[in-house]
Amino acid sequence: MRWFYMHFPHLYGETWNTPFERQQPIVLIKEHGSYVIDANKAAQDKGVENGILVNTAFCLAPEMEIITMLPHKEAQALRRVAKFAYRFSAWVGLDFPDGLYLEVASMRKFFGGLPQLKTRIETLFQELGYRFHIAAAPTPKASRMLARSGIHVCVDEHRFQDILRKVPVECLELPEPTQLRLQKLGLRTAHDITELPAGDLAYRVDSELALYLNQALGRQDWRPDPFIMPEDFQLKVDMEQEFESLNPLLFPLAAAVKRFCLFLQNRCLVSQFLTIKLIHRKHAETLMPIHLATADNRIDSWTYMLSMQIARVTLPAPVTGFKLKASEFEEIPPSSLVLFQNAGGAHEDKKAYLINRLAARIGAEQLQFVGLSDDPRPEKQTLYNSQPLQPAHPPENMMMESPVWLLSSPQEVDIRQYHLIRGPLRLHSGWWDGSIASRDYYIAATSPRPTAAEITSVALHWLFRTPQNQWFMHGIFS
Amino acid sequence: MQPMNFAELHCISNYSFLRGASHPEELVQQAILEGYKGLAITDECSVAGVIKAWKAMQEFKDRNFKLVIGSEFYFQDECFVVLCQNRQGYGELCRLITSCRRRAEKGDYHFSPEDLHSLYHCLLLWRPYQQEGSKPPHYLNRLLQHFSQRFWLLLEQHLVGQDLTRRSNIEALARQLQLPVVASSYAQMHHPERKVLHDVLAAIRLNTPVHQIKSRLLPNAEHHLRQLSKLAAIYKPQYLAESLHILQQCEFELGELCYQYPEESVPKGYTAKTYLRETTYQGAHKRYPDGIPESVVKLIEKELLIIDELDYEYYFLTIYDIVRYARSQEILCQGRGSAANSVVCYCLGITEVDPTKASLLFERFISKRRNEPPDIDVDFENARREEVIQYIYNRYGRDRCAIAATVITYRSKSAMRDLGKALGVDLMQMENVIANYGWRYRGKNWVDEVITPHISQDNHILTCMRTLLPQLQGFPRHLSQHVGGFIISQGPLIDLVPIENASMADRTVIQWDKDDLESLKLMKVDILALGMLTAIRKSLDYISGYKGQPLTMADIPKHDDPLVYGMLQKADTIGLFQVESRAQMNMLPRLKPKEYYDLVVQVAIVRPGPIHGDMVHPYLKRKNHQEEPDVPLPELKPILERTFGVPIFQEQVIAIAMVGADFNADEAEDLRRSMASWKKQGHMNRLRRKLTERLLAKGVTQEYADRLCRQIEGFGEYGFPESHAASFALLAYISGWLKYYHPAAFLCGLLNSQPMGFYRPWQLVQDAQRHGVAVLPVDINCSTWDHYLQTHPDASQEGSVRMGFRSVKGLSQEAAETIVCLRPTHGFRTMNEVMNLPAVGRDDLEALASANAFQGLGKHRYQQRWEASAFHFYHQLFMDLEPPSNELTAPGRLDNIIEDYSSTAVILSDHPMAYLREQSALEDCSSAESLYGFDAGKEVFVAGVVTNRQRPGTSAGVTFVTLEDETGSINVVIWLQTALRQMETLVKARLLKIYGKIDKDAGGEVVHVIAYKLFDLSEQLVRLESKSRDFH
């Protein structure tokens, strides 16, 4: 009994749609799928089962909510439980999409025996709100076979054989054609299959199945690839003396931030967030988060940000030490890895540098990225966002003669004060969000009939007329 | 301002699929309304919409308005608009479109400007690609030479930012090349209100929601047929005037297209008229060997006269030619349709419906008064229709015949789906709403009923859907192939209409559909496929085989055989043509057909038309003498007498319109064609109002007129004319005769023609077994690929049916034929002999073992499969290895049932319900056959395998489920409340037990069980299965 296997039948729902067990029925489906992959209890109580058609499920629970499972979120959910399982085993293996292998023989002593270990695992995952089946067996695949058949046991080799007699073929989650071949030979339980010579089974039924059984029975060695915990950065520095002001602290803090940057650079990572906690003797820790506008790993970016941030902190008590912590990293975008970076790349770097400095000055929340939308309505063409926006294609028929200075809201004007110079350009669009714009745009001079003397003081305005014949000013030309 | 004139010469309709946002008719009407002098319909590489536009124009004949036929082509963002000057120009355009279309995949086209050199009688309008400093393209000079004096530059201004540059570019080019400029709006909709729909179409075309493709949408609605005053404000007068100059040069009118019938069908030395007369009388002599009755001669003469007057000889002779070919190849066929039921067609052998035997029948044949084209559809055996099609291609040549198109248009559901996608609503929820709505019986306000907050929480989206749905409905989506409508012409077809690729390899379709062909009075021959004809032909062959003398469809006694009708009256009709569905079976004991015409009514009455119009019950009451026949107006008596005053058929409804509501021939034709779109708004409302008003004026009750309108609405769903019902009824009778007198041959014919019909092979086999037919299992030493009749010791008797290898799932035909071919005379003695055969692979052997085909060779099917699975491994690849002996457990009774079903889809000697009954699991349940003995109202338990289950919808009110046990099938009715209470059991159970009340109708012949409570027995089967295994 060296391996545990944990099967989380509702992993996706329990990770991403908490609380999964609620009054409203929930059904999970794959992208573009028409079959139910998982359902919560409210849905099951109405008769929804895994594997039935979504249409049938609609008959049973018309009010149900349908959630489409996204592949990357599936993988993320499994890694999340793997992190917790890592507390109990140094060798955790992922079995996509919803199972974990845990090597436990080596941990037995540390936890005081397998039953104790099993109890602790169960307690933790129950507290976390997951439902699961757990089984232990001599080989990883054997424990998998048991847990996925819903049999919670800890068995040795001999008992494993016994139990296989009770496991129907349908519980082995075999592919449909293999299951059909077994049925057509009258083979019903896992035990029926293990009795057959492995070579014959491989040739006559399915080689994958034969391999699976061999590995489960220990005839062939197999171990899962070990799961590697994602790292995080933590650093604690104790000061030899107490600091009452921050300025002298800047040097050791900068040294620590430098170590953080080296940590990132060594791993080809960049980060946007770093938390610094200042430790006081009797007072609660002072939180000093550093937030970059764009992810970075250069020392000067971070130290500049640090110096800006320090200026904003008022100390409640003298500082005796500090802690640094960061756990959200991104991989460096592939373009930055080119050996000879082109000028464009350097330009990007400078931009990031500038943006980070700006953010440090005025606060990250004050900094917004400007983007262009493809909406034909002028007032909707400029977008503001806290994250950089993907460059959008400007509308093909965009008004070419629009002024740079656009009023935030159009002002009604008296057309008699104007002299129309050019137009109209007609806009009739935007019905999809309910605010349809139906306008004729004109360029107009502010004087009805400018004299030669006036001509220098005349301004050009961008006007539009509505179907109701009202006139508005929407912008001013330089 | 001076009144000015203009013609729009660049305009696309919705036949530029998902680009144009108006119907061709709407464009024509709007152009006339705006006072345009003319309009060119220039769909993209297509003339599919022109006939609709031309038809619409006919209504405004007296106006000074010209329709120009043309087409636009794109090449690297440059647009070329071709306009036909005359008939030759039109032919050239058709050839150009054809060649562009034939080069590309279905629905697409490949065009290059060089292609334009084939045009000598067309005008060219060119809109160059707009870019600063771009040079004129290299092909321009040659084009200018070729189109000297026929070349214009297109100026299209839409009040957008680029207008100025565009205009200056075009004007510069015009000066440089000395070319005239013509103004256009590039109309893509008839009215600016269609802008929203135009955006939605773009979204559908790009398969992305509207709010994600904003940059691809038009910024305003100026691409419409703009008012003349607006145009005058935008364009210089000479640019507008140029359009009239062009218009003058386009003289072609679609009415000029004259069609010539193919002349091959008339041998040398004859004219069409003499040949038709001669063949008709030759046929008549064969049909009436004892002398042609006087009445028939009269009819023939009358019909020949009408045919002569309408010039339809070639039409009849062409069909005669095709049918004669089919007969020579022993391909069974049968004509139907108004003209098909003429005596001439009977004499020519196009139909078997004997006009003298059904004399009370039709308002016969084509009437001159009705301006409709002759209608003959010919059904052929589905398996051999391709031979007939190939014959047509060979005889007339591929450039002279092609299949008509079917324009696939948006129906309510498809419109909802695509609208939903374009507006970005949750498609799952949408599908659910669609599935739950009772489409068939929807009312006038269906849009409001179906667009509910279930689809989206956003009220704005719902409002948009409500407006757009009726607009999008009826919009063409793409061209598809008509089921069998051939158009054959004397000259090359591509001078008449462009031909494009169909999705099927080697198939081409023309760009016009059935209605267009009718509008131009082109001949269309329908070559259709019918599975039942294959089954009948096969059955006849088997009977001929054991009787030793040939039997054909014509030999089947057509007199009204009371025994066959007796069987029909009992609804014993599984496997029969047309009258085998559950609804038909419920109707048969009520209608009690006693003669041929009853069967004609029977075929037509269980259809949405009569049901929707509430005509079924009055008909039944009057037929069964419970109510006096009554005709609303005396002049309608000849029309309605034969159906006791109740209109059943499409022809009757039209005749009522003509006689009762004084519709003229054109209006009646309009009504016939518009039945499919009766519910649509617009001019159909006019017809409807006219019909109702005139009937009321004559003293018909409002209630009767309403019912008539509802019936017409129902016909729209699935119109059924008497002329078709007559042919179908004959086939129904023939299939009934075969089933009654030769059940084994009939079963064999049906099984060898699968897939077809309403029932699965197992149900057909069970039914035949209940009628005393012995059915023998698949056997390695007896079976052939097809099912066949084994000879009976008494040679005049029908033998038993031997299941063929074709029923074995996973067995290849090649392997089966090898087995039959190499089978020793004494049969195979061991499995090894079979396994050593060439071309018999492992999959074949396994399939045979599982189907229990080796049962005569010892051991059980599991063991046989095990041995078969590695035979080649041990006996050929690794001869030295000894196969390990593994004794597998023998299958139990239930295992055999499951294996039989999963391997051959037929269980011959057992039934899961019989098994359960013996296991005492169904002690309280009554069998299907015992239900007939019970009184109505008795409460019973029944149980069976679920063979047919509707999807329970909340609006339908009732769900029908069919169960089957070892004695027959049980019809269960589940009311909405019961269904809602037990939804889970209802939708999931494979084996169902029902507690309910017996309901009887029609003198005890129709038995239903009205369910109170449902029990899922599926688990029962699993439990028994495991219990049975415990004993091993």
Short mmCIF file of all heavy atoms in Angstrom, two decimals, chain A residues 229-233 259-273 292 294-299 302 326-334 336-337:
data_model
loop_
_atom_site.label_atom_id
_atom_site.label_comp_id
_atom_site.label_asym_id
_atom_site.label_seq_id
_atom_site.Cartn_x
_atom_site.Cartn_y
_atom_site.Cartn_z
N MET A 229 5.71 21.89 -7.33
CA MET A 229 5.01 23.03 -6.74
C MET A 229 5.52 24.32 -7.38
O MET A 229 6.71 24.51 -7.52
CB MET A 229 5.33 23.10 -5.25
CG MET A 229 4.44 22.28 -4.37
SD MET A 229 2.79 22.93 -4.30
CE MET A 229 2.95 24.11 -3.00
N PRO A 230 4.60 25.18 -7.73
CA PRO A 230 5.07 26.48 -8.19
C PRO A 230 5.72 27.22 -7.03
O PRO A 230 5.27 27.14 -5.89
CB PRO A 230 3.79 27.18 -8.65
CG PRO A 230 2.68 26.42 -8.05
CD PRO A 230 3.16 25.06 -7.70
N GLU A 231 6.80 27.91 -7.32
CA GLU A 231 7.53 28.59 -6.25
C GLU A 231 6.86 29.91 -5.91
O GLU A 231 6.19 30.49 -6.74
CB GLU A 231 8.94 28.89 -6.72
CG GLU A 231 9.83 27.69 -6.80
CD GLU A 231 11.18 28.08 -7.32
OE1 GLU A 231 11.29 28.35 -8.53
OE2 GLU A 231 12.11 28.14 -6.50
N ASP A 232 7.09 30.40 -4.70
CA ASP A 232 6.84 31.81 -4.45
C ASP A 232 8.06 32.42 -3.76
O ASP A 232 8.96 31.71 -3.33
CB ASP A 232 5.53 32.05 -3.68
CG ASP A 232 5.46 31.27 -2.41
OD1 ASP A 232 6.48 30.63 -2.07
OD2 ASP A 232 4.41 31.27 -1.76
N PHE A 233 8.10 33.71 -3.75
CA PHE A 233 9.27 34.39 -3.21
C PHE A 233 8.94 34.89 -1.81
O PHE A 233 7.93 35.55 -1.60
CB PHE A 233 9.64 35.57 -4.12
CG PHE A 233 10.79 36.37 -3.59
CD1 PHE A 233 12.11 35.93 -3.80
CD2 PHE A 233 10.58 37.54 -2.88
CE1 PHE A 233 13.17 36.66 -3.31
CE2 PHE A 233 11.66 38.27 -2.38
CZ PHE A 233 12.95 37.83 -2.60
N ARG A 259 17.24 41.29 -4.55
CA ARG A 259 17.24 39.82 -4.50
C ARG A 259 15.97 39.27 -5.16
O ARG A 259 16.00 38.26 -5.84
CB ARG A 259 17.33 39.34 -3.04
CG ARG A 259 18.74 39.41 -2.54
CD ARG A 259 18.86 39.01 -1.11
NE ARG A 259 18.50 37.61 -0.87
CZ ARG A 259 18.50 37.06 0.34
NH1 ARG A 259 18.83 37.78 1.39
NH2 ARG A 259 18.16 35.81 0.48
N PHE A 260 14.90 40.01 -4.96
CA PHE A 260 13.64 39.59 -5.58
C PHE A 260 13.78 39.64 -7.11
O PHE A 260 13.38 38.71 -7.83
CB PHE A 260 12.51 40.52 -5.09
CG PHE A 260 11.22 40.37 -5.84
CD1 PHE A 260 10.56 39.13 -5.88
CD2 PHE A 260 10.64 41.44 -6.53
CE1 PHE A 260 9.37 38.99 -6.57
CE2 PHE A 260 9.46 41.29 -7.22
CZ PHE A 260 8.82 40.06 -7.24
N CYS A 261 14.39 40.71 -7.59
CA CYS A 261 14.54 40.84 -9.04
C CYS A 261 15.44 39.74 -9.59
O CYS A 261 15.18 39.18 -10.67
CB CYS A 261 15.14 42.21 -9.39
SG CYS A 261 13.98 43.54 -9.09
N LEU A 262 16.49 39.40 -8.86
CA LEU A 262 17.37 38.33 -9.32
C LEU A 262 16.62 37.00 -9.34
O LEU A 262 16.78 36.18 -10.25
CB LEU A 262 18.60 38.23 -8.40
CG LEU A 262 19.57 39.41 -8.55
CD1 LEU A 262 20.67 39.34 -7.49
CD2 LEU A 262 20.16 39.43 -9.95
N PHE A 263 15.79 36.82 -8.32
CA PHE A 263 14.94 35.61 -8.28
C PHE A 263 14.11 35.51 -9.57
O PHE A 263 14.04 34.46 -10.20
CB PHE A 263 14.03 35.69 -7.04
CG PHE A 263 12.92 34.67 -6.99
CD1 PHE A 263 13.13 33.43 -6.40
CD2 PHE A 263 11.67 34.94 -7.53
CE1 PHE A 263 12.12 32.50 -6.35
CE2 PHE A 263 10.65 34.01 -7.48
CZ PHE A 263 10.88 32.78 -6.88
N LEU A 264 13.53 36.62 -9.96
CA LEU A 264 12.71 36.64 -11.17
C LEU A 264 13.57 36.39 -12.41
O LEU A 264 13.25 35.56 -13.26
CB LEU A 264 11.99 37.98 -11.33
CG LEU A 264 10.92 38.32 -10.30
CD1 LEU A 264 10.38 39.72 -10.56
CD2 LEU A 264 9.77 37.32 -10.35
N GLN A 265 14.69 37.10 -12.47
CA GLN A 265 15.52 37.01 -13.67
C GLN A 265 16.06 35.59 -13.87
O GLN A 265 16.09 35.08 -14.98
CB GLN A 265 16.67 38.01 -13.60
CG GLN A 265 16.18 39.44 -13.82
CD GLN A 265 17.21 40.49 -13.40
OE1 GLN A 265 18.36 40.16 -13.10
NE2 GLN A 265 16.80 41.74 -13.37
N ASN A 266 16.44 34.95 -12.78
CA ASN A 266 16.96 33.59 -12.87
C ASN A 266 15.94 32.62 -13.43
O ASN A 266 16.27 31.57 -13.97
CB ASN A 266 17.40 33.09 -11.49
CG ASN A 266 18.67 33.77 -11.07
OD1 ASN A 266 19.39 34.31 -11.91
ND2 ASN A 266 18.95 33.76 -9.77
N ARG A 267 14.69 32.94 -13.21
CA ARG A 267 13.63 32.01 -13.65
C ARG A 267 12.91 32.50 -14.91
O ARG A 267 11.89 31.94 -15.28
CB ARG A 267 12.62 31.84 -12.52
CG ARG A 267 13.16 31.03 -11.36
CD ARG A 267 12.33 31.19 -10.11
NE ARG A 267 12.91 30.42 -9.02
CZ ARG A 267 13.99 30.79 -8.34
NH1 ARG A 267 14.61 31.92 -8.64
NH2 ARG A 267 14.46 30.03 -7.37
N CYS A 268 13.42 33.55 -15.50
CA CYS A 268 12.78 34.13 -16.69
C CYS A 268 11.34 34.50 -16.41
O CYS A 268 10.42 34.16 -17.17
CB CYS A 268 12.86 33.18 -17.88
SG CYS A 268 14.48 33.08 -18.55
N LEU A 269 11.13 35.13 -15.26
CA LEU A 269 9.76 35.53 -14.90
C LEU A 269 9.70 37.03 -14.76
O LEU A 269 10.72 37.70 -14.59
CB LEU A 269 9.35 34.88 -13.57
CG LEU A 269 9.27 33.37 -13.54
CD1 LEU A 269 9.03 32.89 -12.11
CD2 LEU A 269 8.17 32.87 -14.46
N VAL A 270 8.50 37.55 -14.81
CA VAL A 270 8.27 38.95 -14.46
C VAL A 270 7.11 38.98 -13.48
O VAL A 270 6.36 38.01 -13.37
CB VAL A 270 7.92 39.81 -15.70
CG1 VAL A 270 9.13 40.01 -16.57
CG2 VAL A 270 6.78 39.19 -16.46
N SER A 271 7.00 40.08 -12.75
CA SER A 271 5.91 40.17 -11.79
C SER A 271 5.40 41.60 -11.71
O SER A 271 6.09 42.55 -12.10
CB SER A 271 6.37 39.69 -10.42
OG SER A 271 5.32 39.85 -9.50
N GLN A 272 4.21 41.71 -11.19
CA GLN A 272 3.59 43.02 -11.06
C GLN A 272 3.38 43.39 -9.58
O GLN A 272 3.19 44.54 -9.26
CB GLN A 272 2.23 42.98 -11.77
CG GLN A 272 2.04 44.04 -12.79
CD GLN A 272 0.68 43.96 -13.44
OE1 GLN A 272 0.14 42.88 -13.66
NE2 GLN A 272 0.12 45.10 -13.75
N PHE A 273 3.34 42.37 -8.73
CA PHE A 273 2.96 42.61 -7.32
C PHE A 273 4.04 42.11 -6.36
O PHE A 273 4.54 41.00 -6.53
CB PHE A 273 1.66 41.88 -6.98
CG PHE A 273 0.53 42.29 -7.86
CD1 PHE A 273 0.16 41.51 -8.94
CD2 PHE A 273 -0.17 43.46 -7.61
CE1 PHE A 273 -0.87 41.89 -9.75
CE2 PHE A 273 -1.21 43.85 -8.42
CZ PHE A 273 -1.58 43.06 -9.50
N LEU A 292 3.23 47.36 -9.76
CA LEU A 292 3.71 47.95 -11.01
C LEU A 292 2.58 48.00 -12.04
O LEU A 292 1.71 47.13 -12.03
CB LEU A 292 4.86 47.10 -11.59
CG LEU A 292 6.28 47.57 -11.29
CD1 LEU A 292 6.52 47.63 -9.80
CD2 LEU A 292 7.30 46.64 -11.96
N THR A 294 2.99 47.61 -15.28
CA THR A 294 3.18 46.46 -16.16
C THR A 294 4.22 45.55 -15.51
O THR A 294 5.10 46.01 -14.79
CB THR A 294 3.72 46.87 -17.55
OG1 THR A 294 4.94 47.58 -17.35
CG2 THR A 294 2.75 47.74 -18.30
N ALA A 295 4.09 44.26 -15.78
CA ALA A 295 4.98 43.30 -15.14
C ALA A 295 6.42 43.55 -15.57
O ALA A 295 6.68 43.87 -16.73
CB ALA A 295 4.56 41.89 -15.53
N ASP A 296 7.36 43.38 -14.65
CA ASP A 296 8.74 43.74 -14.91
C ASP A 296 9.64 42.92 -14.00
O ASP A 296 9.19 42.38 -13.00
CB ASP A 296 8.91 45.25 -14.62
CG ASP A 296 10.06 45.84 -15.43
OD1 ASP A 296 10.94 45.05 -15.85
OD2 ASP A 296 10.06 47.06 -15.64
N ASN A 297 10.96 42.82 -14.37
CA ASN A 297 11.90 42.18 -13.46
C ASN A 297 13.21 42.96 -13.34
O ASN A 297 14.20 42.45 -12.86
CB ASN A 297 12.16 40.72 -13.87
CG ASN A 297 12.82 40.63 -15.23
OD1 ASN A 297 13.23 41.65 -15.80
ND2 ASN A 297 12.93 39.41 -15.74
N ARG A 298 13.18 44.21 -13.79
CA ARG A 298 14.42 44.99 -13.74
C ARG A 298 14.56 45.68 -12.39
O ARG A 298 13.58 46.17 -11.82
CB ARG A 298 14.44 46.00 -14.88
CG ARG A 298 14.77 45.33 -16.20
CD ARG A 298 14.46 46.23 -17.35
NE ARG A 298 13.06 46.62 -17.32
CZ ARG A 298 12.51 47.42 -18.24
NH1 ARG A 298 13.25 47.91 -19.20
NH2 ARG A 298 11.25 47.73 -18.16
N ILE A 299 15.79 45.72 -11.94
CA ILE A 299 16.04 46.23 -10.60
C ILE A 299 15.64 47.69 -10.49
O ILE A 299 14.96 48.09 -9.55
CB ILE A 299 17.54 46.03 -10.23
CG1 ILE A 299 17.81 44.53 -10.17
CG2 ILE A 299 17.86 46.69 -8.90
CD1 ILE A 299 19.27 44.18 -10.16
N TRP A 302 11.90 48.31 -10.08
CA TRP A 302 11.36 47.98 -8.76
C TRP A 302 11.88 48.92 -7.67
O TRP A 302 11.14 49.33 -6.79
CB TRP A 302 11.70 46.52 -8.40
CG TRP A 302 10.76 45.54 -9.08
CD1 TRP A 302 11.00 44.82 -10.19
CD2 TRP A 302 9.43 45.23 -8.66
NE1 TRP A 302 9.91 44.05 -10.50
CE2 TRP A 302 8.92 44.28 -9.58
CE3 TRP A 302 8.60 45.64 -7.60
CZ2 TRP A 302 7.66 43.75 -9.49
CZ3 TRP A 302 7.34 45.11 -7.50
CH2 TRP A 302 6.87 44.17 -8.44
N ALA A 326 5.95 37.44 -2.62
CA ALA A 326 5.32 37.56 -3.94
C ALA A 326 4.99 36.17 -4.45
O ALA A 326 5.76 35.23 -4.24
CB ALA A 326 6.25 38.26 -4.91
N SER A 327 3.83 36.01 -5.03
CA SER A 327 3.49 34.68 -5.54
C SER A 327 2.86 34.72 -6.93
O SER A 327 2.56 33.68 -7.50
CB SER A 327 2.56 33.96 -4.57
OG SER A 327 1.46 34.78 -4.28
N GLU A 328 2.63 35.88 -7.45
CA GLU A 328 2.03 35.93 -8.79
C GLU A 328 3.07 36.31 -9.82
O GLU A 328 3.57 37.43 -9.81
CB GLU A 328 0.87 36.94 -8.80
CG GLU A 328 -0.32 36.43 -8.03
CD GLU A 328 -1.45 37.45 -8.02
OE1 GLU A 328 -1.69 38.07 -9.06
OE2 GLU A 328 -2.06 37.62 -6.95
N PHE A 329 3.40 35.36 -10.64
CA PHE A 329 4.44 35.61 -11.66
C PHE A 329 3.88 35.33 -13.03
O PHE A 329 2.96 34.56 -13.20
CB PHE A 329 5.65 34.70 -11.43
CG PHE A 329 6.15 34.72 -10.02
CD1 PHE A 329 6.14 33.55 -9.26
CD2 PHE A 329 6.61 35.89 -9.46
CE1 PHE A 329 6.60 33.56 -7.96
CE2 PHE A 329 7.06 35.90 -8.15
CZ PHE A 329 7.06 34.74 -7.39
N GLU A 330 4.50 35.96 -14.01
CA GLU A 330 4.17 35.64 -15.40
C GLU A 330 5.47 35.27 -16.10
O GLU A 330 6.53 35.75 -15.71
CB GLU A 330 3.60 36.88 -16.12
CG GLU A 330 2.28 37.35 -15.60
CD GLU A 330 1.96 38.74 -16.13
OE1 GLU A 330 2.37 39.07 -17.26
OE2 GLU A 330 1.32 39.50 -15.38
N GLU A 331 5.32 34.45 -17.12
CA GLU A 331 6.52 34.15 -17.91
C GLU A 331 6.80 35.33 -18.82
O GLU A 331 5.88 36.03 -19.24
CB GLU A 331 6.31 32.89 -18.72
CG GLU A 331 6.36 31.70 -17.80
CD GLU A 331 6.17 30.40 -18.51
OE1 GLU A 331 6.09 30.41 -19.74
OE2 GLU A 331 6.09 29.38 -17.82
N ILE A 332 8.07 35.54 -19.10
CA ILE A 332 8.42 36.66 -19.99
C ILE A 332 7.82 36.37 -21.35
O ILE A 332 7.96 35.26 -21.87
CB ILE A 332 9.95 36.80 -20.09
CG1 ILE A 332 10.50 37.19 -18.73
CG2 ILE A 332 10.33 37.82 -21.16
CD1 ILE A 332 12.00 37.34 -18.69
N PRO A 333 7.13 37.35 -21.93
CA PRO A 333 6.55 37.11 -23.26
C PRO A 333 7.65 36.70 -24.24
O PRO A 333 8.76 37.24 -24.18
CB PRO A 333 5.97 38.47 -23.65
CG PRO A 333 5.95 39.28 -22.41
CD PRO A 333 6.87 38.68 -21.43
N PRO A 334 7.38 35.74 -25.11
CA PRO A 334 8.41 35.15 -25.96
C PRO A 334 9.21 36.18 -26.75
O PRO A 334 10.39 35.99 -26.97
CB PRO A 334 7.64 34.25 -26.92
CG PRO A 334 6.27 34.15 -26.37
CD PRO A 334 6.08 35.16 -25.30
N SER A 336 10.47 38.90 -25.97
CA SER A 336 11.58 39.51 -25.24
C SER A 336 12.78 38.58 -25.17
O SER A 336 13.84 38.98 -24.75
CB SER A 336 11.15 39.84 -23.81
OG SER A 336 9.91 40.43 -23.83
N LEU A 337 12.60 37.33 -25.58
CA LEU A 337 13.69 36.39 -25.44
C LEU A 337 14.61 36.36 -26.65
O LEU A 337 15.60 35.66 -26.67
CB LEU A 337 13.12 34.97 -25.21
CG LEU A 337 12.39 34.81 -23.87
CD1 LEU A 337 11.69 33.49 -23.82
CD2 LEU A 337 13.35 34.95 -22.71
#
